[in-house]
Amino acid sequence: GEDVEQSLFLSVREGDSSVINCTYTDSSSTYLYWYKQEPGAGLQLLTYIFSNMDMKQDQRLTVLLNKKDKHLSLRIADTQTGDSAIYFCAGGNAGNMLTFGGGTRLMVKP
Amino acid sequence: NAGVTQTPKFQVLKTGQSMTLQCAQDMNHEYMSWYRQDPGMGLRLIHYSVGAGITDQGEVPNGYNVSRSTTEDFPLRLLSAAPSQTSVYFCASSKTEYGYTFGSGTRLTVV
């Protein structure tokens, strides 16, 4: 099955860009997702990218996909304190089950 | 439009007790699933359903049962609770490629 790995922790200063990285093993995943989890809350879908795309931009969020290296990244521009959360990448097929990474805790310092 | 609703939000069980975690969605999503979240391990799939009357096992199904008698509801049953089932449980539903919508979770403690 799919194995998805993320670094555990990232700390940035407010206003800087954050880059959260993810590697995956299963190249058959049709979609790759980024979710955000704030303390005590469920997971919020931030964005997703189709596996035949290299990049997707959505306001402050940029997703880059390197299929050759099976590497996915999420860049958050102008990071704010409200962006502090745990970020999960996940891979899967449309409507099918997702395999999640262990999550990256983003801490934004004022 | 309530999305995915999970009840209860918190529960404490004694070892050996049984209970049902409820999950309901009002988005007419075909796909529903249950995950558990443990510290440092991300979310792991317990059971899932691709439509009413159809369920299948995920990565960690032991000790849990599910049924899907309607499109809207997907309850998760703990047959005989064990301390290893202490976790946060998330229900999610999906339609096509827009990713899963998650409920707010049920925090379960088994003592």
Side-chain angles (χ1 to χ4, degrees):
Chain A
E2 174 88 89
D3 188 21
V4 181
E5 294 188 356
Q6 301 178 237
S7 54
L8 287 177
F9 188 77
L10 176 66
S11 178
V12 300
R13 293 213 173 270
E14 191 173 18
D16 289 348
S17 292
S18 306
V19 179
I20 303 171
N21 295 304
C22 173
T23 58
Y24 60 96
T25 58
D26 186 356
S27 58
S28 69
S29 293
T30 308
Y31 295 93
L32 293 149
Y33 303 89
W34 283 103
Y35 283 87
K36 176 184 181 182
Q37 185 181 35
E38 297 185 60
L43 276 73
Q44 173 195 356
L45 178 64
L46 286 179
T47 187
Y48 64 93
I49 187 168
F50 191 50
S51 61
N52 70 354
M53 298 169 63
D54 297 322
M55 186 183 82
K56 180 178 180 181
Q57 187 154 2
D58 184 1
Q59 299 182 343
R60 291 191 298 123
L61 305 179
T62 302
V63 179
L64 295 177
L65 176 60
N66 182 327
K67 291 180 284 295
K68 174 177 174 292
D69 295 336
K70 297 180 184 176
H71 182 265
L72 180 74
S73 67
L74 174 69
R75 179 177 180 271
I76 305 172
D78 187 25
T79 312
Q80 303 297 307
T81 54
D83 295 323
S84 293
I86 301 176
Y87 291 80
F88 292 93
C89 67
N93 297 306
N96 286 350
M97 303 314 115
L98 302 177
T99 299
F100 285 85
T104 299
R105 183 179 295 275
L106 174 64
M107 177 179 291
V108 182
K109 298 179 181 178
Chain B
N1 188 338
V4 178
T5 302
Q6 288 185 238
T7 56
K9 292 191 183 301
F10 301 94
Q11 183 70 50
V12 178
L13 289 179
K14 293 182 179 179
T15 297
Q17 286 185 314
S18 63
M19 80 159 293
T20 299
L21 308 186
Q22 302 291 343
C23 176
Q25 53 93 7
D26 61 357
M27 298 171 285
N28 200 33
H29 285 174
E30 296 176 31
Y31 303 94
M32 296 186 74
S33 55
W34 277 101
Y35 293 86
R36 60 177 289 174
Q37 184 178 27
D38 301 297
M41 299 187 72
L43 280 80
R44 292 182 292 168
L45 181 65
I46 305 171
H47 285 284
Y48 65 98
S49 169
V50 299
I54 306 170
T55 64
D56 206 346
Q57 297 181 347
E59 182 185 354
V60 288
N62 292 340
Y64 308 95
N65 274 355
V66 292
S67 60
R68 185 95 180 270
S69 57
T70 67
T71 300
E72 294 78 21
D73 299 298
F74 191 45
L76 177 73
R77 297 183 187 85
L78 278 70
L79 309 172
S80 177
S84 62
Q85 293 179 304
T86 294
S87 187
V88 181
Y89 291 84
F90 289 100
C91 177
S93 71
S94 168
K95 187 169 187 173
T96 68
E97 68 276 14
Y98 296 111
Y100 277 82
T101 300
F102 281 81
S104 57
T106 295
R107 186 173 296 273
L108 176 68
T109 302
V110 183
V111 297

